[in-house]
């Protein structure tokens, strides 16, 4: 969906160097996947691994591979993501799961699209690669949420995937409050309410390393759906200070 007038002016290319990108990687017991993920962070970008209480040495592995480690004691996907956002200092912030299901190098064109002012939030539409990459119950929950999102905001997205890019100050200006599974959806809902241009592009989705904390079970999936229903029920929140002030 493209709004007729962009909420943020496009920055000058000179103000966004290659190093002006932080990648937030929420992490809970992802020791096995971390090396693969961190090797695929684009050169010059900073990896922010947000350790959310791991007991398998994830934080130490992340540091050994050159990542900046942020510790977030409050459990929850949203808590980890927001801690990473608050710790970020780059002009553009990306998000990527830390389970080797998504390749962070795929974020390069996402960042370019944001940097050039062609979109304010860019999302990856997951395209499963092989059996087991995306369980049926997880796909069903995602489809239901996409339809509810369309009714709530008018955005015709086909996925609410975790691979995404936007400008840091603009994201902070959304005032995100969910600290569990509803965080990614709340970001999209509030972006839509603020008139952001939201783009979606296909990305390959690989079988994750290890067991999922959310989509690995029906219970986890529908708990996430419950959190997201709550987000969709929130009244629109607008932030006038955001208008034209993303830098």
């Amino acid at each position: 969906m493209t709004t007729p007038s962009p909420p943020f002016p496009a920055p000058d290319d000179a103000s966004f160097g290659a190093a002006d990108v932080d990648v937030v990687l929420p992490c809970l017991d992802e020791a096995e996947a971390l090396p693969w993920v961190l090797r695929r962070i684009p050169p010059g970008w900073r990896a922010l691994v947000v350790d959310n209480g791991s007991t398998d040495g994830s934080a130490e592995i992340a540091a050994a591979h050159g990542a900046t480690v942020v510790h977030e004691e409050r459990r929850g996907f949203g808590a980890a993501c927001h801690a990473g956002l608050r710790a970020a200092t780059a002009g553009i912030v990306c998000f990527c799961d830390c389970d080797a299901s998504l390749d962070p190098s795929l974020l390069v064109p996402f960042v370019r699209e944001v940097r050039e002012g062609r979109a304010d939030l860019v999302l990856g539409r997951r395209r499963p690669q092989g059996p087991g990459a995306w369980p049926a119950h997880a796909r069903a929950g995602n489809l239901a949420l996409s339809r509810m999102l369309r009714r709530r905001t008018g955005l015709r997205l086909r996925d609410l995937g975790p691979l995404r890019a936007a400008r840091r100050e603009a994201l902070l200006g959304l005032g995100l409050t969910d600290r569990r599974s509803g965080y990614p959806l709340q970001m999209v809902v509030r972006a839509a309410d603020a008139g952001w241009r939201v783009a979606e592009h296909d990305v390959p989705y690989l079988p994750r390393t290890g067991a999922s904390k959310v989509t690995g079970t029906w219970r986890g999936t529908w708990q996430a759906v419950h959190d997201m229903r709550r987000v969709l029920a929130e009244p629109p929140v607008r932030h006038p200070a955001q208008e034209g002030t993303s830098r």
Side-chain angles (χ1 to χ4, degrees):
M1 174 179 171
T2 303
T3 56
S5 56
F8 309 118
D12 296 332
D13 284 345
S15 67
F16 282 90
D20 202 30
V21 178
D22 284 337
V23 184
V24 175
L25 298 156
C27 176
L28 176 58
D29 293 331
E30 302 290 4
E32 187 178 353
L34 269 169
W36 185 92
V37 174
L38 293 174
R39 285 196 299 268
R40 285 160 177 77
I41 298 294
W45 294 16
R46 182 172 65 147
L48 289 171
V49 173
V50 185
D51 188 75
N52 202 206
S54 298
T55 59
D56 66 349
S58 288
E60 292 76 14
I61 291 172
H65 282 77
T68 297
V69 178
V70 177
H71 294 278
E72 173 54 49
E73 295 183 359
R74 179 177 176 179
R75 285 293 183 94
F77 182 77
C81 287
H82 203 68
L85 175 60
R86 293 188 64 181
T89 57
I92 296 178
V93 175
C94 300
F95 296 84
C96 181
D97 276 355
C98 212
D99 58 10
S101 63
L102 292 162
D103 185 339
S105 69
L106 298 172
L107 286 161
V108 171
F110 289 26
V111 167
R112 184 180 303 117
E113 194 166 355
V114 172
R115 179 179 290 151
E116 294 175 354
R118 292 182 282 120
D120 303 302
L121 174 63
V122 184
L123 308 173
R125 180 196 180 193
R126 292 168 289 184
R127 306 294 285 178
Q129 307 295 301
W134 203 356
H137 57 273
R139 293 197 210 189
N142 189 73
L143 177 61
L145 287 167
S146 295
R147 289 173 175 171
M148 288 188 282
L149 177 69
R150 183 178 303 181
R151 290 195 296 268
R152 166 65 174 76
T153 67
L155 287 175
R156 293 182 173 273
L157 299 177
R158 294 167 290 181
D159 190 12
L160 298 169
L163 197 70
R164 50 186 64 190
R167 297 178 196 159
R168 177 179 58 86
E169 290 186 18
L171 285 170
L172 289 170
L174 292 177
L176 301 175
T177 58
D178 192 282
R179 294 296 180 265
R180 298 202 312 182
S181 300
Y183 186 87
L185 176 62
Q186 189 180 56
M187 183 188 295
V188 176
V189 169
R190 293 199 176 183
D193 287 345
W196 289 26
R197 296 159 299 171
V198 181
E200 182 181 58
H201 303 296
D202 289 353
V203 294
Y205 190 50
L206 308 172
R208 63 158 290 140
T209 299
S212 171
K213 288 78 176 176
V214 178
T215 61
T217 66
W218 279 95
R219 180 178 180 180
T221 297
W222 292 111
Q223 178 62 57
V225 171
H226 174 77
D227 290 346
M228 294 182 186
R229 282 182 181 273
R230 186 180 64 250
V231 168
L232 290 168
E234 294 176 353
V237 176
R238 299 188 182 281
H239 303 271
Q242 284 180 232
E243 300 294 332
T245 58
S246 65
R247 286 185 281 178

